[in-house]
Amino acid sequence: MWAGLITQAEPLGRKKVSVYSPDSWEKFLRSADTHFHQIEIQLFGLKENGFPGSDCAHIGVERVVGATEWFIFNMRATDSLISWSAFPELQEKRVGFLREQAELQHSTFGNVTNDNMGDRTALETGIGRYMPECAEESVDTLRSYSWTTVCSREIAARLGGAERLRETGAFYDVAELSYGGLLLRATKEFGDYDADRVRQVFDALACALPVGEAEMSIGAEYWNLVYGVDPADVCRRRG
């Protein structure tokens, strides 16, 4: 393995990259105690010739521009490393990791999915929402609905609590978090999260979603979204 440690002090500032070593790792961790815009670890598998290959995993924390008290924690990797079908045993670990981090950070939102678009969810891209409003409003408005979704205590209460969401039948598991939030897992296996279940999850969470109909665009055929329906209308019909 080869690892690069990346720090960026300001949004438009130069990124500093150092190769992992025990000393550089300690310095990297100390940088998290000071003002920073972004810190990230990039992990590459080495090819036979000793050079990094194309398969890469990223783990990073980034401040939201315009709302620096908010942070986005992101872990992503190329499909060859975390393929849903090739490595089904990793699905439980991903959900467990999300739950662990949500508990540590009292997260207002989190998800496990294959359709996030950078620092935005597929839903935010589909309806044209941008940071920092997405982060700042995540206490009361869900940023998306995904195979596995974390919501805030306030949103959990707004949706009627864990038992009410279990009664919808939209979720394989509804786990209550220590700070009042919920972890909502639609199906046991990601491969079973089909269009019908996506619609069930959308309907169950409609009253906490931002208003607006998601629009199809290039690449959107891979998004797990409901198109042509405003969640506000679903919520209104429900009364």
Side-chain angles (χ1 to χ4, degrees), residues 5-9 18 21-41 63:
L5 308 177
I6 300 170
T7 59
Q8 186 179 14
S18 59
S21 71
D23 288 341
S24 64
W25 175 248
E26 290 301 322
K27 183 177 179 181
F28 176 75
L29 291 180
R30 287 196 298 272
S31 69
D33 295 329
T34 60
H35 178 78
F36 68 92
H37 170 63
Q38 180 183 25
I39 59 173
E40 184 178 277
I41 309 164
R63 289 182 188 269

Side-chain angles (χ1 to χ4, degrees), residues 153-239:
R153 176 184 60 206
E154 291 80 2
I155 290 174
R158 181 176 167 187
L159 293 171
E163 194 56 42
R164 176 68 189 89
L165 286 169
R166 292 187 185 107
E167 290 172 356
T168 66
F171 302 101
Y172 163 76
D173 185 35
V174 176
E176 299 178 66
L177 304 177
S178 62
Y179 61 95
L182 296 174
L183 185 144
L184 309 168
R185 181 172 173 179
T187 59
K188 183 177 181 180
E189 303 289 342
F190 180 78
D192 295 329
Y193 189 51
D194 57 15
D196 289 339
R197 183 52 65 93
V198 170
R199 180 56 196 256
Q200 283 183 277
V201 172
F202 171 83
D203 287 345
L205 302 179
C207 292
L209 294 172
V211 299
E213 298 180 10
E215 296 183 5
M216 180 74 73
S217 59
I218 296 175
E221 63 270 19
Y222 301 107
W223 296 349
N224 300 307
L225 295 177
V226 173
Y227 295 98
V229 182
D230 192 322
D233 294 334
V234 175
C235 190
R236 197 160 34 244
R237 287 195 297 270
R238 188 175 300 156

Side-chain angles (χ1 to χ4, degrees), residues 92-106:
E92 293 296 331
K93 292 185 177 181
R94 291 170 189 164
V95 175
F97 182 79
L98 174 62
R99 179 169 185 166
E100 175 187 277
Q101 293 301 314
E103 293 279 20
L104 285 172
Q105 303 167 27
H106 290 195

Side-chain angles (χ1 to χ4, degrees), residues 41-153:
I41 309 164
Q42 291 186 353
L43 297 165
F44 292 85
L46 295 177
K47 297 185 293 185
E48 291 182 359
N49 61 8
F51 288 93
S54 58
D55 296 334
C56 182
H58 303 254
I59 304 172
V61 180
E62 183 176 354
R63 289 182 188 269
V64 176
V65 176
T68 55
E69 72 278 15
W70 287 89
F71 297 84
I72 298 172
F73 180 92
N74 193 322
M75 183 178 72
R76 66 190 191 279
T78 52
D79 186 64
S80 57
L81 293 178
I82 59 169
S83 168
W84 297 92
S85 57
F87 306 107
E89 70 279 3
L90 293 181
Q91 297 187 32
E92 293 296 331
K93 292 185 177 181
R94 291 170 189 164
V95 175
F97 182 79
L98 174 62
R99 179 169 185 166
E100 175 187 277
Q101 293 301 314
E103 293 279 20
L104 285 172
Q105 303 167 27
H106 290 195
S107 300
T108 58
F109 174 78
N111 66 350
V112 181
T113 186
N114 65 345
D115 60 2
N116 283 340
M117 305 290 288
D119 65 355
R120 292 198 292 172
T121 66
L123 178 61
E124 289 163 348
T125 304
I127 64 176
R129 279 171 60 84
Y130 295 89
M131 296 295 178
E133 68 172 343
C134 300
E136 293 178 312
E137 296 178 5
S138 62
V139 174
D140 299 303
T141 302
L142 260 179
R143 294 184 55 198
S144 192
Y145 50 99
S146 304
W147 174 59
T148 301
T149 307
V150 164
C151 71
S152 69
R153 176 184 60 206

